[in-house]
Amino acid sequence: MSRTTWLLLALVAAALTATMAAVAGDGGPRMGPASSIRHVSFLGYYDGHKDTYLNLDVSSKAAAAAMHVNYSAKLGASLKSSEEIYLVEGPAAVGQLAVFSSEPGEKTYTPLWHEEIVTWKGGVTPVLLVKDDQITELEKKGDIHVRDTKTVLNCPIVKVGK
């Protein structure tokens, strides 16, 4: 084996070792050993496609108990910096899911959402809501009512479904 080949292999081995160390957390802050857990995930709409998200914490004790998630009073402090998650209450179109106002990869994305409850006005036939702009439009037309609950949820989107 030539000296050049040996040096090249040594460099590749060093790079591979460094990469493996970085993945393992060597040389940096440690979070502890990695493990896996099973957690319920949900689907929600953003701009017409479905994203997968988790519901982990909420700023309301009553909502935390109802959702079987952690209660965090401090989440409420992020109300102004959170984005909207729209949840439909009452009659809804078949297949209705939560609707997000952002998703990972956008400047406004955050895993913290302030809960907005959407209800259809009497005499209006519900349609499938899949975009936050659609909700804004229907609210302006008077077809729906949107109520801010002042509740903040920690619901990171873990898979974008474009």
Side-chain angles (χ1 to χ4, degrees):
M1 177 182 314
S2 74
R3 179 170 165 74
T4 304
T5 304
W6 186 87
L7 285 173
L8 184 59
L9 286 174
L11 285 172
V12 169
L16 183 59
T17 301
T19 300
M20 291 174 66
V23 169
D26 293 345
R30 296 172 195 248
M31 295 183 79
S35 65
S36 297
I37 62 167
R38 292 177 60 98
H39 198 285
V40 174
S41 64
F42 301 89
L43 293 176
Y45 285 110
Y46 176 72
D47 279 358
H49 63 266
K50 294 177 185 176
D51 289 345
T52 305
Y53 69 99
L54 305 176
N55 184 9
L56 303 175
D57 312 283
V58 64
S59 67
S60 158
K61 278 185 181 180
M67 296 176 184
H68 305 289
V69 298
N70 298 321
Y71 164 67
S72 172
K74 286 195 170 199
L75 273 179
S78 64
L79 184 65
K80 290 183 180 179
S81 61
S82 59
E83 286 289 307
E84 296 86 11
I85 183 172
Y86 299 95
L87 304 175
V88 177
E89 188 174 76
V94 174
Q96 186 62 65
L97 305 169
V99 178
F100 291 98
S101 61
S102 184
E103 72 179 2
E106 296 206 353
K107 291 188 300 187
T108 58
Y109 174 72
T110 173
L112 303 181
W113 308 93
H114 60 270
E115 181 183 67
E116 305 271 341
I117 302 297
V118 176
T119 53
W120 287 92
K121 300 265 178 101
V124 177
T125 302
V127 297
L128 190 62
L129 302 173
V130 297
K131 297 180 179 185
D132 59 322
D133 295 336
Q134 177 190 19
I135 292 171
T136 301
E137 216 173 276
L138 289 167
E139 184 179 27
K140 285 179 185 174
K141 282 178 51 180
D143 289 349
I144 60 172
H145 174 71
V146 179
R147 177 176 51 91
D148 184 356
T149 66
K150 307 292 187 223
T151 298
V152 177
L153 296 97
N154 176 17
C155 292
I157 293 175
V158 295
K159 182 180 177 193
V160 174
K162 290 183 181 175

